[in-house]
Amino acid sequence: MNNETQSLEQESFEWTTVAILQAIAVFVLAGFAEIVGGWMVWAHVRGYGSGKKPWWFALVGSLILVSYGFIPCLQPTDSFGRVYAVYGGFFIVLSFLLGWALDGDKPDIGDVIGGVIALVGVMVVMFWPR
């Protein structure tokens, strides 16, 4: 596909309710894959709770991380840079939530406010009319 064709396709893209829901679902799925996969590697290498998890935690975590690399390709828009920038905001919030669920590290008020600011910011980036 040449740049002119790609540019025309990006210009004709419109956000619909279904596309918005798909985008959010893909961001959440990607976040779960990256954070849970990373946590599994972390739990084997660094330890968790009563000690290090078995070797297969690192293996399964690594496979999940590889699958994470493909998940953003399911986004309804073709703007690679924008998709990954926006994912960063979702990653922030999901890291706090999954850190709380996996490690019991409850987010404080600064985490909550920062997470809200990040999500609002990335929603502007993603859904701003172009």
Side-chain angles (χ1 to χ4, degrees), residues 89 92-93 110-124:
I92 290 168
V93 172
D111 298 332
V112 172
I113 291 170
V116 168
I117 290 169
L119 272 183
V120 169
V122 298
M123 291 298 185
V124 170

Side-chain angles (χ1 to χ4, degrees), residues 29-38 40-41 57-71:
L29 179 62
F32 269 83
E34 184 178 12
I35 296 163
V36 171
M40 290 181 78
V41 172
F57 256 61
L59 177 64
V60 171
S62 297
L63 293 173
I64 292 171
L65 287 168
V66 168
S67 72
Y68 152 74
F70 292 91
I71 294 170

Side-chain angles (χ1 to χ4, degrees), residues 35 39 42 48-49 94-108 111:
I35 296 163
W39 179 84
W42 178 284
Y48 171 74
L94 289 169
S95 293
F96 289 138
L97 294 175
L98 290 172
W100 187 8
L102 296 169
D103 283 339
D105 188 13
K106 185 177 180 182
D108 63 23
D111 298 332

Side-chain angles (χ1 to χ4, degrees), residues 13-38:
F13 179 79
E14 291 185 29
W15 285 106
T16 63
T17 303
V18 172
I20 291 169
L21 293 174
Q22 178 185 350
I24 291 170
V26 170
F27 286 133
V28 171
L29 179 62
F32 269 83
E34 184 178 12
I35 296 163
V36 171

